[in-house]
Amino acid sequence: MSRKPIIAGNWKMNLLRADATALYEGIKSFVKDYTAVQLPTVVIAPTFTSLSAVGSVPCDCGCGGNKINVAAQNCHWESSGAYTGEISVEMAKDAGCSYIIIGHSERRQYFSESDEMINKKAKAIIAGGLIPIICCGETLEQREAGITDEHIASQIRAALKDISSEDVANSVIAYEPIWAIGTGKTCDSVEANRVIKMIRNVVSEVAGSQAADAIRILYGGSVKPSTIEEQMSQSDIDGALIGGASLTAESFNEIIANTMKVAV
């Protein structure tokens, strides 16, 4: 089946509100020249402090809807309470978000997030009417030990536990080999596609073949304008979760343009 690509920019802990809004405007000026059908699904994930500033800016692209979707970089699974420093799904939605990134390797590594926590977050996001972007990936040590597939399959099974097939189909997975994030090293496209195909097979085991055919699985890890065409030409890579190259409109727009050459 045909899956619409997603090009998502994770801005991480970068850009003040004025800079974030300027970057949004730079992306908006590019996508306005295309129809929603021509474009991939475009997602940007600013910091929490910039969500409202960016999420409240109308796209005004004349497409009958917003061509630029906003994502939060994380959330808590509870709807409210004494969870200092956290935001709820409802708060993210109120700020203009339609997606939330969860399970990023930096959250797992620096903030000790477990597979169980990520599953709770995925369920809360789905219950709140938003779409989770569920990250998975292996360290260099795990890859060299030959346990990449085993480790990632375990992450996926845990993240999707007790989620309906329909909700799995509407979710997004991002495969990010940790050793390629922000290092300038990019996983070979053929190998990235192999791992993503393995992930799709795990989804099929968990939620059925229809969900596996429908779910969009992205690659992330030092994605650049020069790498995206080869990545998007692979059979199972449905887009990209982009870090550093999403922080300027020039490079992010070029990634969108190059994606359209091969995959939309």
Side-chain angles (χ1 to χ4, degrees):
M1 66 177 294
S2 177
R3 294 180 294 267
K4 188 175 181 67
I6 297 177
I7 296 299
N10 179 11
W11 297 357
K12 304 191 179 184
M13 198 175 72
N14 295 291
L15 307 178
L16 301 180
R17 284 184 298 170
D19 299 318
T21 302
L23 176 51
Y24 174 88
E25 292 288 352
I27 300 168
K28 186 177 78 172
S29 68
F30 174 78
V31 302
K32 70 178 177 60
D33 294 327
Y34 299 91
T35 68
V37 173
Q38 291 173 309
L39 288 164
T41 300
V42 178
V43 181
I44 55 173
T47 62
F48 288 156
T49 56
S50 295
L51 281 178
S52 291
V54 172
S56 63
V57 177
C59 187
D60 296 332
C61 294
C63 60
N66 202 332
K67 294 180 186 177
I68 303 173
N69 301 275
V70 179
Q73 295 179 18
N74 188 33
C75 71
H76 199 279
W77 57 86
E78 294 289 353
S79 58
S80 63
Y83 302 103
T84 301
E86 296 290 332
I87 71 166
S88 68
V89 174
E90 186 177 3
M91 290 172 180
K93 189 173 183 178
D94 186 53
C97 294
S98 50
Y99 292 80
I100 301 180
I101 299 169
I102 54 173
H104 194 281
S105 62
E106 292 158 3
R107 298 296 312 177
R108 295 176 189 260
Q109 179 181 357
Y110 302 135
F111 303 99
S112 303
E113 294 195 359
S114 66
D115 288 335
E116 181 183 8
M117 292 166 66
I118 292 156
N119 176 245
K120 288 180 179 179
K121 292 181 182 187
K123 290 174 180 175
I125 292 165
I126 292 165
L130 276 63
I131 299 172
I133 300 177
I134 304 166
C135 298
C136 63
E138 83 282 11
T139 64
L140 181 60
E141 291 75 17
Q142 288 164 335
R143 174 162 282 272
E144 290 178 342
I147 60 171
T148 292
D149 291 12
E150 176 185 347
H151 174 70
I152 292 172
S154 175
Q155 288 182 319
I156 297 303
R157 290 189 181 100
L160 301 180
K161 183 180 179 181
D162 298 327
I163 296 176
S164 73
S165 296
E166 181 180 0
D167 288 331
V168 169
N170 291 327
S171 300
V172 178
I173 292 172
Y175 165 57
E176 293 194 306
I178 297 169
W179 49 270
I181 298 174
T183 63
K185 298 179 180 179
T186 305
C187 183
D188 175 81
S189 297
V190 173
E191 171 61 10
N193 190 66
R194 184 198 70 78
V195 175
I196 287 174
K197 194 167 187 176
M198 180 274 296
I199 293 170
R200 203 174 299 283
N201 289 336
V202 173
V203 173
S204 182
E205 294 171 11
V206 171
S209 60
Q210 287 187 329
D213 287 342
I215 193 170
R216 290 180 287 182
I217 308 178
L218 317 182
Y219 170 74
S222 298
V223 175
K224 306 177 186 69
S226 60
T227 66
I228 192 65
E229 286 187 63
E230 181 180 345
Q231 288 154 351
M232 292 305 302
S233 68
Q234 302 298 315
S235 63
D236 282 80
I237 297 177
D238 300 320
L241 181 58
I242 303 146
S246 71
L247 294 177
T248 69
E250 181 181 9
S251 59
F252 191 63
N253 291 342
E254 188 175 355
I255 289 172
I256 296 171
N258 290 345
T259 297
M260 290 190 287
K261 290 179 183 178
V262 295
V264 180

